[in-house]
Amino acid sequence: MATIVFTIANQKGGVGKTTTAVNLAAALAELAIPVLLVDLDPQANATSSLGIEKHEGKSLYGPLRGEGSALDLVTQTAVPNLSLIPSEEDLAAAEIEIAQMENFLLKLKGVLEPIRASGSYRVVIIDCPPALGMLSMNSLAAADFLLITLQCEYMALEGLGQILRNVERLKSAGINSSLELGGIVMTMYDGRTNLSRQVVDEVRQHLPEKIFETVIPRTVRLSEAPSFGQTIFAYDATNPGAAAYRRLAGEVVRRFGLQ
């Protein structure tokens, strides 16, 4: 079956993007779906969240510059069925260097072609930097679907419009005419506040077909797990955050026909 590439992007930091990338990838892997997580953020938070050490030369920096293959960088994680292409600080230089190359928006797409062709993974999830820079735009050009994480606060809605406009620009320019908004994940939900409920309701009103039913709750354990190099399932399998990401994975499986 064909590989589906998802990118999880949002130009705003602190909205649960990496938490969602890591735990959605792990939850899909739990369902025996072979998943590759690509850490495209030079901060390497997804890498450390899975307990993988950062090492120079292990990120996509080389392949993005035409040196080496992405397949050689794949690292097995402690989670069965979940592999990782790690990140490290050198990747920050790619933001500048890619911009000076020909077809600069299509570099990542070319780098990921051998991974698609290998047939080793049903799902590839790209975790982007918290900015719509060169790396994030490359991820949008390489993906089949964009998944947006939105924090349950009003400022988040402004960012939603901005990223959707960028998607339309890429499509109309012919950079990635098949890119679709795969879904919106509402994160850091606090059911005790009117604000959280109002923001979810507003997104449901505007994009009813795209918002996932599952909302990710604000929990301390979800915030703590990365500092131990663990997914929420390894750190606290009974936490409401773990249950939420398992439900989200089920929705993703059904929406995209993954099983």
Side-chain angles (χ1 to χ4, degrees):
M1 298 180 79
T3 300
I4 297 179
V5 177
F6 297 99
T7 188
I8 300 184
N10 193 318
Q11 68 274 25
K12 191 172 183 291
V15 296
K17 181 176 55 60
T18 298
T19 299
T20 296
V22 169
N23 290 301
L24 174 59
L28 290 170
E30 268 192 353
L31 298 173
I33 296 168
V35 181
L36 175 65
L37 178 62
V38 177
D39 190 351
L40 205 63
D41 185 348
Q43 296 178 75
N45 291 331
T47 299
S48 56
S49 293
L50 287 167
I52 305 292
E53 292 287 327
K54 291 181 278 186
H55 292 293
E56 191 175 332
K58 292 296 185 183
S59 75
L60 283 179
Y61 177 57
L64 286 168
R65 299 168 74 226
E67 301 166 1
S69 168
L71 281 169
D72 296 333
L73 300 170
V74 173
T75 302
Q76 184 55 49
T77 72
V79 180
N81 301 311
L82 176 57
S83 301
L84 171 75
I85 294 182
S87 180
E88 38 98 18
E89 290 171 12
D90 279 1
L91 197 56
E95 284 279 4
I96 302 161
E97 294 178 26
I98 290 173
Q100 299 164 6
M101 300 176 183
E102 281 186 50
N103 298 320
F104 55 87
L105 286 177
L106 296 172
K107 291 300 173 188
L108 182 63
K109 184 174 185 178
V111 163
L112 294 181
E113 276 308 318
I115 285 168
R116 281 190 187 262
S118 74
S120 300
Y121 304 100
R122 184 71 176 99
V123 171
V124 174
I125 294 177
I126 306 169
D127 183 36
C128 293
L132 288 177
M134 201 53 62
L135 290 171
S136 292
M137 295 303 284
N138 260 263
S139 81
L140 290 171
D144 300 305
F145 297 100
L146 165 65
L147 301 180
I148 300 175
T149 53
L150 273 193
Q151 192 175 354
C152 292
E153 60 173 43
Y154 274 115
M155 293 299 287
L157 295 173
E158 292 180 12
L160 176 60
Q162 188 179 347
I163 195 166
L164 292 178
R165 283 192 294 275
N166 276 283
V167 169
E168 288 310 311
R169 286 191 192 107
L170 283 174
K171 292 178 75 167
S172 60
I175 301 295
N176 187 355
S177 55
S178 61
L179 178 64
E180 290 183 38
L181 173 59
I184 298 169
V185 183
M186 303 304 298
T187 63
M188 303 182 190
Y189 179 83
D190 186 345
R192 299 168 300 176
T193 67
N194 286 332
L195 179 60
S196 277
R197 292 194 295 273
Q198 287 166 1
V199 173
V200 171
D201 288 345
E202 191 163 339
V203 177
R204 282 207 173 111
Q205 200 174 353
H206 284 91
L207 293 161
E209 304 291 312
K210 297 300 183 181
I211 188 170
F212 287 102
E213 282 298 316
T214 302
V215 293
I216 308 301
R218 183 187 291 276
T219 80
V220 173
R221 305 294 271 177
L222 268 177
S223 304
E224 289 174 347
S227 62
F228 291 89
Q230 294 181 326
T231 68
I232 188 60
F233 312 111
Y235 184 63
D236 185 354
T238 62
N239 184 263
Y245 276 112
R246 284 191 174 112
R247 287 196 302 276
L248 178 63
E251 282 194 72
V252 168
V253 166
R254 291 189 295 277
R255 184 173 292 194
F256 301 101
L258 295 179
Q259 280 185 333

